[in-house]
Amino acid sequence: MKRIELFCFLMLTLLSANTKAESPVKRYNLDSYRIPINEKGAFVGRLISQTPNKIYEVKLLQDTANIFYINKKGVIRLKKNVAIKESSPVFRYAIKVEADGSTVEFELVKDEFIKNKVVAHRGAWKNTKVAQNSIRSLENAFKLGCAGSEFDVWLSSDNVAVISHDSKIGGLSIENSTYQELSKVVLPAGDKVPTLKEYLAEGKTQNKTALILEIKSSGISNERTLELTDSIISIVHQMKAQGWVEYISFSYDALKHGYNLDPSAKTAYLSGDKSVNEVKSDNITGIDYSFYSYRSDPELVHSAHKLGLTTNVWTVNDKDDFKNYLESGVDYITTDEPELLLQMIKNRGK
Ligand code: MG
């Protein structure tokens, strides 16, 4: 190989190394990251190994607030006489755990997550005149006090996870464009296309609205959907956002792959073509089916709950439907009209 060819080869190798999709290798996770409030010695979560039969030794190496305790089985609790008060302004706590000689860092979150069932579909954008899936649509969902805010994630051609509903944005195909090209897009109300990292950073500025992350199905290949899943879970772990995020997807494979990468991830399937037994046996933790599915099977909420699955219905925008689903016992209602649904819930409480 001539010197110039060797130089080009090395440059290309370096460039491709920089743009590789992020791949998560995580041996330890917690089964829960949320700290109950006003409860002395509360259970927070259990350390779980991805090699389940292994007996591991655990140690709490760092606890910035000095309030946690970990036992030999990896169970993390608040210390006996410690409770996180409702009035405490701190809501994120960093810990570092040693397990079988390797260290892993987590962030635990004070559990003040709202339980009003309302999930803002693509953020709260419709009545606030901001772009769907923009940072401002997420902030609006926080301001309204929604239980969750939903958003959609794609992978750019150079493996940057970005937020958009459609596969095209600003005239560009996301999967065939670089992040640099996508970053120049200005949406009609002036919003930019956020990266997943930016979105999660914003999401972690609060502890009341859960982040409902949709893994989009790639138009290129199923492998590309799995690469997107790798990238998403890797970023969520890097940013220590596990306590905030729940995953949804129309791709059954993405959710099954998600379980392999993080067995404690909360996942819900969107397509509606699998029975609750099938979903349960594939370790997916919930169904997020369209209202057609619930309408055609009035027992669906009940049969899902019997198996311990969570239930979410999409996309409900009508007053009569809101009333029906509020009475159905469904856990989440995904809507483009979060203001209207919240008002109805408020009125019902009177
Ligand atoms: Mg979506």
Side-chain angles (χ1 to χ4, degrees):
M1 205 182 272
K2 283 185 196 148
R3 196 177 284 180
I4 184 76
E5 282 171 348
L6 182 67
F7 176 75
C8 289
F9 172 75
L10 285 172
M11 283 307 288
L12 276 173
T13 313
L14 276 172
L15 281 172
S16 64
N18 280 339
T19 56
K20 242 181 109 212
E22 320 226 14
S23 57
V25 183
K26 197 87 182 173
R27 288 185 55 222
Y28 297 97
N29 295 290
L30 298 183
D31 65 358
S32 162
Y33 296 81
R34 294 183 179 178
I35 314 161
I37 51 172
N38 300 327
E39 192 187 324
K40 279 185 185 170
F43 169 84
V44 179
R46 184 190 308 268
L47 191 70
I48 49 168
S49 165
Q50 269 165 280
T51 48
N53 297 323
K54 199 165 178 184
I55 299 165
Y56 45 76
E57 282 191 25
V58 289
K59 225 191 296 179
L60 193 56
L61 287 185
Q62 221 176 67
D63 164 12
T64 46
N66 195 25
I67 56 171
F68 299 103
Y69 168 79
I70 190 163
N71 75 10
K72 282 182 184 158
K73 289 181 175 168
V75 173
I76 300 169
R77 311 188 80 98
L78 286 172
K79 287 181 179 170
K80 231 177 170 179
N81 291 315
V82 176
I84 303 283
K85 298 233 168 67
E86 217 166 333
S87 56
S88 158
V90 180
F91 63 87
R92 282 161 47 173
Y93 296 87
I95 59 164
K96 193 192 275 183
V97 173
E98 187 183 302
D100 291 339
S102 51
T103 56
V104 52
E105 294 178 27
F106 299 111
E107 221 167 89
L108 306 173
V109 54
K110 176 184 175 186
D111 189 359
E112 291 180 294
F113 288 90
I114 296 164
K115 303 280 186 267
N116 61 14
K117 299 178 191 279
V118 182
V119 174
H121 185 223
R122 308 175 197 168
W125 52 272
K126 195 173 175 182
N127 300 306
T128 54
K129 310 272 185 279
V130 301
Q132 302 177 0
N133 275 312
S134 61
I135 296 275
R136 289 196 295 168
S137 73
L138 179 63
E139 289 168 344
N140 288 338
F142 300 159
K143 280 183 212 150
L144 287 175
C146 298
S149 189
E150 189 261 359
F151 57 101
D152 308 277
V153 188
W154 295 91
L155 209 49
S156 69
S157 64
D158 55 346
N159 299 313
V160 177
V162 296
I163 316 298
S164 164
H165 177 263
D166 295 344
S167 60
K168 277 188 175 180
I169 196 155
L172 297 173
S173 147
I174 296 172
E175 293 195 278
N176 295 310
S177 305
T178 62
Y179 173 64
Q180 229 229 332
E181 290 166 327
L182 296 166
S183 68
K184 289 184 191 139
V185 171
V186 180
L187 300 169
D191 299 285
K192 296 270 195 172
V193 180
T195 63
L196 176 59
K197 286 183 181 172
E198 289 165 348
Y199 220 77
L200 294 178
E202 182 61 35
K204 284 182 66 186
T205 61
Q206 54 84 52
N207 63 332
K208 301 205 164 99
T209 302
L211 307 175
I212 312 297
L213 187 164
E214 181 176 342
I215 306 167
K216 296 304 277 191
S217 302
S218 167
I220 297 171
S221 65
N222 194 41
E223 284 71 42
R224 194 66 180 152
T225 305
L226 300 185
E227 281 174 15
L228 169 63
T229 312
D230 280 341
S231 189
I232 286 171
I233 293 191
S234 173
I235 291 168
V236 169
H237 283 237
Q238 269 173 33
M239 296 195 67
K240 304 184 184 84
Q242 296 99 316
W244 284 259
V245 174
E246 299 177 25
Y247 304 92
I248 58 173
S249 189
F250 283 97
S251 164
Y252 203 65
D253 285 346
L255 298 178
K256 286 205 291 187
H257 188 54
Y259 173 79
N260 291 331
L261 299 170
D262 179 355
S264 55
K266 292 179 191 164
T267 50
Y269 183 50
L270 289 163
S271 293
D273 58 352
K274 303 274 184 197
S275 72
V276 287
N277 286 315
E278 216 170 338
V279 167
K280 176 72 182 176
S281 67
D282 282 320
N283 298 302
I284 292 162
T285 60
I287 54 166
D288 187 350
Y289 287 176
S290 82
F291 59 85
Y292 295 109
S293 299
Y294 291 93
R295 205 179 273 171
S296 60
D297 178 3
E299 287 300 305
L300 190 54
V301 172
H302 179 66
S303 46
H305 283 170
K306 238 170 53 184
L307 294 172
L309 297 171
T310 57
T311 52
N312 187 342
V313 56
W314 58 268
T315 301
V316 184
N317 291 328
D318 174 276
K319 265 191 171 178
D320 287 337
D321 288 333
F322 283 151
K323 192 171 168 287
N324 289 339
Y325 288 109
L326 285 171
E327 281 161 12
S328 74
V330 75
D331 301 304
Y332 285 134
I333 301 170
T334 299
T335 179
D336 296 320
E337 303 283 354
E339 296 87 347
L340 188 62
L341 179 53
L342 286 162
Q343 192 55 48
M344 272 185 75
I345 292 169
K346 210 171 145 192
N347 294 343
R348 281 162 68 91
K350 278 179 191 163

Short mmCIF file of all heavy atoms in Angstrom, two decimals, residues 121 150 152 165 214 216, ligand 1:
data_model
loop_
_atom_site.label_atom_id
_atom_site.label_comp_id
_atom_site.label_asym_id
_atom_site.label_seq_id
_atom_site.Cartn_x
_atom_site.Cartn_y
_atom_site.Cartn_z
N HIS A 121 -49.00 13.59 23.57
CA HIS A 121 -48.54 12.91 22.36
C HIS A 121 -47.63 13.82 21.54
O HIS A 121 -48.09 14.85 21.06
CB HIS A 121 -49.79 12.51 21.55
CG HIS A 121 -49.51 11.69 20.35
ND1 HIS A 121 -50.13 11.94 19.14
CD2 HIS A 121 -48.69 10.64 20.13
CE1 HIS A 121 -49.71 11.05 18.26
NE2 HIS A 121 -48.84 10.26 18.83
N GLU A 150 -44.67 12.06 25.38
CA GLU A 150 -44.20 11.08 24.40
C GLU A 150 -43.38 11.77 23.31
O GLU A 150 -43.63 12.94 22.99
CB GLU A 150 -45.44 10.39 23.78
CG GLU A 150 -45.14 9.21 22.90
CD GLU A 150 -45.14 9.52 21.41
OE1 GLU A 150 -45.39 10.69 21.03
OE2 GLU A 150 -44.88 8.60 20.63
N ASP A 152 -40.54 10.76 19.63
CA ASP A 152 -40.12 9.73 18.68
C ASP A 152 -38.64 9.89 18.32
O ASP A 152 -38.19 11.01 18.09
CB ASP A 152 -40.94 9.88 17.39
CG ASP A 152 -42.44 9.91 17.69
OD1 ASP A 152 -43.03 8.85 17.84
OD2 ASP A 152 -43.00 11.03 17.80
N HIS A 165 -41.22 13.09 14.62
CA HIS A 165 -42.23 12.07 14.38
C HIS A 165 -42.05 11.46 12.99
O HIS A 165 -41.89 10.27 12.84
CB HIS A 165 -43.66 12.62 14.53
CG HIS A 165 -44.65 11.54 14.21
ND1 HIS A 165 -45.24 11.41 12.97
CD2 HIS A 165 -45.09 10.50 14.94
CE1 HIS A 165 -46.00 10.35 12.96
NE2 HIS A 165 -45.93 9.77 14.15
N GLU A 214 -40.43 6.73 22.08
CA GLU A 214 -40.77 5.77 21.01
C GLU A 214 -39.56 5.49 20.13
O GLU A 214 -38.98 6.38 19.52
CB GLU A 214 -41.93 6.28 20.15
CG GLU A 214 -42.25 5.23 19.07
CD GLU A 214 -43.45 5.57 18.18
OE1 GLU A 214 -44.29 6.41 18.56
OE2 GLU A 214 -43.53 4.95 17.10
N LYS A 216 -38.45 4.37 16.79
CA LYS A 216 -39.10 4.26 15.48
C LYS A 216 -38.56 3.06 14.71
O LYS A 216 -37.41 2.64 14.91
CB LYS A 216 -38.86 5.54 14.66
CG LYS A 216 -39.47 6.79 15.24
CD LYS A 216 -40.97 6.69 15.47
CE LYS A 216 -41.80 6.95 14.25
NZ LYS A 216 -43.25 7.10 14.60
MG MG B 1 -44.93 8.34 18.59
#
